[in-house]
């Protein structure tokens, strides 16, 4: 599942980044790397999401969210 | 990305070192030591810069670009400190990041880099630190935001970090000045005995990394992946990583991200900024203008008369120079208010949320979400809007937005619409004014569409991914310092253009073209200015208002739109009839009986043509004089074309 369908308040591990190379690199540089554990903090207007990566908070619009594939952390 | 800095980076070159690092005991006069601050956006880098340099700083655009760099001497030293644009990576994604990369890696790179590590964003900060370390530039690490990170349950062992990195690591709080002394000592030591980041532990892309799917797509990923591994290793050893728990900022965002709360709050904030620009700043502007032009003008006149100066000298000084100085000075409170308001919004962390909320709507216009504030402010004052553009991180987005802002209808133009609409459409004045604002919005969208498909084709719509800084209380001292320097930079640049232009306009009005008049004592109609506006008036024949008075009002309107209404009232009023009757009668005559259509065409021309001189001057500073001149010429052509269409269609209805 991707970030648009993941419920808020739950942790997940990023399993793939499906984006243009430059954007995927930028996401990775911001901490949204394959293998990173993130927590969906907010669902925003228009399908955007705010995720927590450690103490950091990253906002993504719906297009970016669609490229972040997640697996739930048990 | 089509972007180049040329062979050298003059920003750094200008600050080349006076003190030879290899012989600090004998400072040579030809070099200055340059220390650059590098860090992620919102990492506290600029606050640290303010703290280290004191109240006075110079904000300049990097040569040939719209990327801002602040430079100033470190307090009580000969060391030049550069506040480079915030960067997430040295694999540049924007002109700002490209400048930062060049300043760190170019031939004329800084002598030492202070990497600002945001404790709330340790992973991405260490990644940038690693990249700087790989360039071989000596490094000192300053850790900021430790208190906010602690509030989120993250603590950093700075001693362990210093040990792992092999460089000095100093915890600082630029808001209070805590740790700044230690940072100065660490930098001083590092300038004498440079230390390089210890990167032996990981960053060498090995075969396993090259097999990573993204690394196969783009080789840059191989290096990045290796650095990520190093970051993860360092992070594990120096920072606690408790489970994510909601912070105070999260709780606030929990409300502000909800549409029925976030959007009204967002609109309220925009309305407040708009009010500041239009209502609060106006009395201060009037007061400054009165003090300089009237009060000081009277003293200067008395002084010159007493000294026996000729009448034309008195006229030139008071009506030429002092009026120009008054116009420039009157912008100071307005621009200062804008810089303070925008700075407070940015500093508080709210501007990032506002941009995120507005991003979707602004993208329909082809603009960045952050452009919403300048565009809204533009409907109050174009100059203020240009001033607030600095919050847009992308220089290309800034240039595109800057070229669109003159089409937002400022309040000075509203006065002209109201005046003309009341005269020619007394029953529908409100509707006419509304139509002008609708046309303004249509022009912003249409011109934006054209620019994105011509000169700005390189601007692509990329999905938005942005870091959200924690909410913080804005620091008034630093805000005031930053606003002062930015206001001084803007007003100085615009002021030169305004004062010279107004002096030239005075000269045009002082030089007679007919006999019987002396220089400086000539009726306007018999001056160079009068003849020129008569000639210009003919151009407006197809738009229905080919009259010297109307043309004169438009010419003086280039200086400031506020004077258009006054100029019309002065020209068309007389002892025998009020100006409204004179204006109506003149437009009826010049339009062949279609005065209302001519009045509407005049309004359209006022909306579209050249914004005020201060805006043009600031546009030139921000996007370069070539683009600014092109903008002025294009807006004049578009204004004339639309005015002609409106008149020709209106006259036939």
């Amino acid at each position: 599942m991707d970030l648009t369908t993941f419920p808020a308040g739950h942790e997940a591990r990023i399993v793939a980044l499906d984006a243009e190379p430059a954007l995927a690199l930028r996401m990775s540089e911001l901490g949204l790397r394959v293998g990173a554990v993130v927590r969906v903090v907010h669902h925003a207007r228009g399908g955007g999401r705010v995720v927590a990566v450690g103490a950091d908070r990253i906002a993504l619009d719906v297009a970016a969210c669609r490229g972040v594939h997640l697996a739930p952390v048990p | 990305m089509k972007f180049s800095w040329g062979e050298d980076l003059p920003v750094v070159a200008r600050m080349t070192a006076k003190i030879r690092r290899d012989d600090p005991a004998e400072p040579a006069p030809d070099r200055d030591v340059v220390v650059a601050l590098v860090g992620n956006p919102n990492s506290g880098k600029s606050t640290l810069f303010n703290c280290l340099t004191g109240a006075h700083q110079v904000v300049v655009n990097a040569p040939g670009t719209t990327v801002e760099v602040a430079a100033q001497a470190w307090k009580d030293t000969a060391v030049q400190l550069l506040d480079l644009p915030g960067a997430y990576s040295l694999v540049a994604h924007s002109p700002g990041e490209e400048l930062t990369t060049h300043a760190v890696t170019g031939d004329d790179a800084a002598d030492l880099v202070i990497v600002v590590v945001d404790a709330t964003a340790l992973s991405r900060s260490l990644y940038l630190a690693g990249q700087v370390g790989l360039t071989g530039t000596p490094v000192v690490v300053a850790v900021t935001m430790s208190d906010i990170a602690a509030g989120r349950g993250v603590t950093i062992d700075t001693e362990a970090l210093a040990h792992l990195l092999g460089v000095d690591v100093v915890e600082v709080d630029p808001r209070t000045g805590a740790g700044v002394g230690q940072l100065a000592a660490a930098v001083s030591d590092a300038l004498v005995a440079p230390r390089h980041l210890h990167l032996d532990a990981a960053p060498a892309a090995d075969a396993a990394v090259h097999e990573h799917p993204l690394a196969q797509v783009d080789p840059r990923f191989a290096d990045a992946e290796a650095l990520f591994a190093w970051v993860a290793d360092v992070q594990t050893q120096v920072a606690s990583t408790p489970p994510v728990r909601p912070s105070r900022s999260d709780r606030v965002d929990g409300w502000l991200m909800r549409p029925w709360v976030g959007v009204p709050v967002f609109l309220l904030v925009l309305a407040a900024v708009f009010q500041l620009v239009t209502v609060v700043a106006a009395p201060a502007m009037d007061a400054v203008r009165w003090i300089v032009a009237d009060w000081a003008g009277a003293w200067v006149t008395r002084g010159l008369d007493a000294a026996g100066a000729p009448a034309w000298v008195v006229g030139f000084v008071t009506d030429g120079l002092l009026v120009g100085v008054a116009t420039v000075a009157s912008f100071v409170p307005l621009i200062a208010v804008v810089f303070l308001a925008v700075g407070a919004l940015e500093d508080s962390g709210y501007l990032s949320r506002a941009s995120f909320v507005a991003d979707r709507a602004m993208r329909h216009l082809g603009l960045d979400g952050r452009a919403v504030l300048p565009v809204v402010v533009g409907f109050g004052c174009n100059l203020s809007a240009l001033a607030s553009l600095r919050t847009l991180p992308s220089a290309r987005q800034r240039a595109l937005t800057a070229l669109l802002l003159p089409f937002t209808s400022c309040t000075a133009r509203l006065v002209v619409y109201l005046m003309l609409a009341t005269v020619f459409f007394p029953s529908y004045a409100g509707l006419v004014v509304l139509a002008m604002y609708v046309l303004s919005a249509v022009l912003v969208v249409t011109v934006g569409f054209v620019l994105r498909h011509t000169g700005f084709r390189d601007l692509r719509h990329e999905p938005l991914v942005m870091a959200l800084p924690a909410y913080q209380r804005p620091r008034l001292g630093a805000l005031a310092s930053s606003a002062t320097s930015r206001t001084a930079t803007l007003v100085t640049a615009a002021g030169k253009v305004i004062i010279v232009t107004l002096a030239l306009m005075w000269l045009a009005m002082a030089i007679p073209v007919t006999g019987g008049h002396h220089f400086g004592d000539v009726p306007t109609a018999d001056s160079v200015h009068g003849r020129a506006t008569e000639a210009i008036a003919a151009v407006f024949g197809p738009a229905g208002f080919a009259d010297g008075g109307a043309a004169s009002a438009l010419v003086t309107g280039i200086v400031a739109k506020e004077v258009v209404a006054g100029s019309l009232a002065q020209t068309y009023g007389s002892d025998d009839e009020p100006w409204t009757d004179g204006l109506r009668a003149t437009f009826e005559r010049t339009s062949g009986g279609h005065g209302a259509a001519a009045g509407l065409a005049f309004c359209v021309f006022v909306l579209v043509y050249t914004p005020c001189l201060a805006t043009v001057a600031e546009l030139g500073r921000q996007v370069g004089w070539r683009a600014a001149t092109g903008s002025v010429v294009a807006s004049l052509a578009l204004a004339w074309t639309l005015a002609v269409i409106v008149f020709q269609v209106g006259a036939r209805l």
Side-chain angles (χ1 to χ4, degrees):
Chain A
M1 74 179 64
D2 66 37
L3 200 47
T4 58
T5 53
F6 204 83
H10 294 271
E11 290 197 336
R13 189 177 298 280
I14 298 176
V15 292
L17 289 177
D18 181 16
E20 293 263 317
L23 180 65
L25 177 61
R26 180 43 50 101
M27 283 179 165
S28 301
E29 289 170 338
L30 288 172
L32 300 173
R33 300 164 193 151
V34 172
V37 173
V38 300
R39 184 188 184 95
V40 180
V41 185
H42 301 297
H43 282 193
R45 182 174 157 265
R49 298 287 183 270
V50 178
V51 298
V53 189
D56 204 4
R57 302 292 182 267
I58 310 289
L60 303 93
D61 71 359
V62 66
C65 287
R66 288 198 189 105
V68 181
H69 297 277
L70 304 166
V73 173
Chain B
M1 186 187 308
K2 287 178 187 172
F3 195 86
S4 170
W5 288 101
E7 291 175 6
D8 291 309
L9 181 69
V11 173
V12 174
R14 260 193 251 134
M15 317 217 171
T16 22
K18 262 185 195 158
I19 303 167
R20 289 185 191 283
R21 206 190 306 148
D22 54 356
D23 191 3
E26 290 183 17
D30 60 332
R31 298 189 70 199
D32 261 344
V33 169
V34 179
V35 174
L37 281 165
V38 172
N40 287 175
N42 300 306
S43 59
K45 184 175 55 64
S46 297
T47 314
L48 181 60
F49 176 83
N50 283 328
C51 185
L52 295 174
T53 57
H56 305 292
Q57 55 177 267
V58 181
V59 181
V60 293
N61 282 358
T65 75
T66 55
V67 180
E68 279 189 344
V69 178
Q72 189 52 267
W74 194 311
K75 269 182 192 167
D76 307 322
T77 72
V79 172
Q80 290 288 345
L81 196 61
L82 291 185
D83 182 14
L84 294 170
Y88 291 115
S89 168
L90 296 188
V91 181
H93 206 70
S94 67
E97 287 187 338
E98 195 158 338
L99 170 64
T100 298
T101 304
H102 203 113
V104 175
T105 62
D107 294 338
D108 188 32
D111 298 81
L112 183 136
V113 170
I114 299 175
V115 180
V116 180
V117 167
D118 177 352
T120 65
L122 189 59
S123 169
R124 56 181 160 91
S125 295
L126 281 176
Y127 171 75
L128 182 63
Q131 286 184 318
V132 174
L134 284 172
T135 67
T137 308
V139 167
V140 167
V141 170
V143 179
T144 57
M145 312 276 183
S146 299
D147 51 339
I148 298 170
R152 293 178 180 179
V154 176
T155 52
I156 296 170
D157 184 344
T158 49
E159 279 187 26
L161 185 60
H163 177 71
L164 276 172
L165 300 184
V167 298
D168 283 320
V169 175
V170 182
E171 199 171 305
V172 294
D173 184 350
R175 291 166 170 262
T176 62
V180 167
Q182 291 95 307
L183 179 64
V187 168
S188 182
D189 290 349
L191 284 172
V192 176
R195 291 187 181 180
H196 301 273
L197 215 63
H198 197 254
L199 286 158
D200 298 343
D206 57 23
V209 163
H210 277 290
E211 286 168 10
H212 192 280
L214 287 173
Q216 289 170 353
V217 175
D218 190 324
R220 289 177 302 177
F221 277 86
D223 297 332
E225 288 290 350
L227 212 46
F228 293 151
W230 173 79
V231 168
D233 184 43
V234 172
Q235 200 174 357
T236 311
Q237 295 186 58
V238 303
S240 60
T241 50
V244 175
R245 64 186 192 200
S247 64
R248 192 165 54 99
S249 292
D250 288 334
R251 286 191 286 276
V252 177
D253 279 340
W255 286 100
L256 292 183
M257 292 288 170
R258 297 178 192 184
W260 58 92
V261 179
V263 173
V265 168
F266 174 59
L267 293 176
L268 274 175
V269 169
L270 287 182
V273 174
F274 190 82
Q275 284 293 100
L276 270 177
V277 173
T278 54
V279 178
V280 177
M285 291 178 73
D286 289 342
V288 171
R289 199 179 288 120
W290 181 84
I291 290 170
V292 178
D294 298 342
W295 186 76
W299 277 94
V300 170
T301 304
R302 273 198 290 274
L304 288 173
D305 284 342
W312 71 265
V313 172
V314 178
F316 176 70
V317 172
T318 54
D319 299 334
L321 291 181
L322 263 182
V323 168
V325 173
T327 306
V328 175
S330 69
F331 286 126
V332 171
L334 172 72
I335 298 305
V337 161
V338 170
F339 277 132
L340 278 174
V342 172
L345 286 175
E346 191 181 29
D347 217 25
S348 68
Y350 180 72
L351 200 57
S352 299
R353 275 76 179 180
S355 307
F356 186 53
V357 168
D359 188 69
R360 209 168 169 218
M362 294 306 289
R363 272 171 191 247
H364 289 305
L365 304 179
L367 298 175
D368 189 296
R370 296 170 184 83
V372 68
L373 185 73
V375 169
V376 170
V377 169
F379 283 97
C381 168
N382 288 182
L383 179 64
S384 305
L386 284 172
S388 64
L389 268 183
R390 69 171 192 81
T391 55
L392 268 72
S394 155
R396 291 288 286 163
Q397 273 286 352
R398 266 206 306 275
L400 173 62
T401 314
L403 291 171
L404 295 180
L405 284 177
F407 295 107
T408 54
S409 184
C410 64
T411 47
R413 285 174 245 192
L414 171 64
V415 178
V416 183
Y417 309 152
L418 278 171
M419 183 176 175
L420 274 286
T422 312
V423 171
F424 293 106
F425 304 91
S427 305
Y428 307 100
L431 204 60
V432 169
V433 172
L434 178 67
M436 288 299 124
Y437 279 92
V438 171
L439 177 60
S440 170
V442 168
L443 283 171
V444 170
V445 174
T446 311
V447 175
F449 180 85
V450 171
L451 287 176
R452 284 198 316 281
H453 289 83
T454 51
F456 288 83
R457 266 181 291 214
D458 58 314
L459 272 184
R460 294 190 307 140
H461 286 308
E462 290 186 345
L464 176 77
V465 183
M466 65 189 293
L468 293 181
Y471 287 108
Q472 292 188 85
R473 186 170 49 82
R475 300 134 304 116
L476 287 179
L479 280 179
S481 159
S482 169
T484 304
S485 59
R486 287 177 189 281
T487 303
T489 304
L490 191 158
V491 170
T492 307
K496 290 175 191 161
V497 179
I498 292 171
I499 291 171
V500 169
T501 308
L502 283 176
L504 289 175
M505 281 185 77
W506 182 89
L507 273 177
M509 285 193 271
I511 300 172
V513 287
T514 55
H517 301 296
H518 296 291
F519 176 72
D521 183 20
V522 50
T524 305
D526 293 330
S527 69
V528 169
H529 180 268
R531 290 299 163 89
T533 50
E534 283 295 336
I536 291 168
V539 174
F540 296 116
F545 52 88
D547 182 70
S552 176
L554 292 174
V555 169
T556 47
I558 291 175
V559 177
K561 292 287 174 293
E562 286 87 346
V563 300
V564 174
S567 175
L568 287 175
Q570 197 177 22
T571 304
Y572 295 111
S574 69
D575 294 340
D576 304 327
E577 61 176 357
W579 64 265
T580 48
D581 292 351
L583 179 65
R584 191 182 298 113
T586 305
F587 274 35
E588 287 290 344
R589 174 175 53 77
T590 56
S591 63
H594 302 288
L600 197 59
F602 189 87
C603 284
V604 169
F605 193 88
V606 169
L607 163 63
V608 185
Y609 90 122
T610 319
C612 67
L613 208 52
T615 300
V616 174
E618 178 60 7
L619 196 62
R621 194 179 75 87
Q622 290 212 11
V623 301
W625 280 105
R626 199 171 155 199
T629 307
S631 162
V632 168
V633 172
S635 66
L636 278 170
L638 183 62
W640 183 86
T641 307
L642 289 176
V644 169
I645 290 171
V646 166
F647 175 71
Q648 295 296 339
V649 172
R652 284 166 175 74
L653 291 178

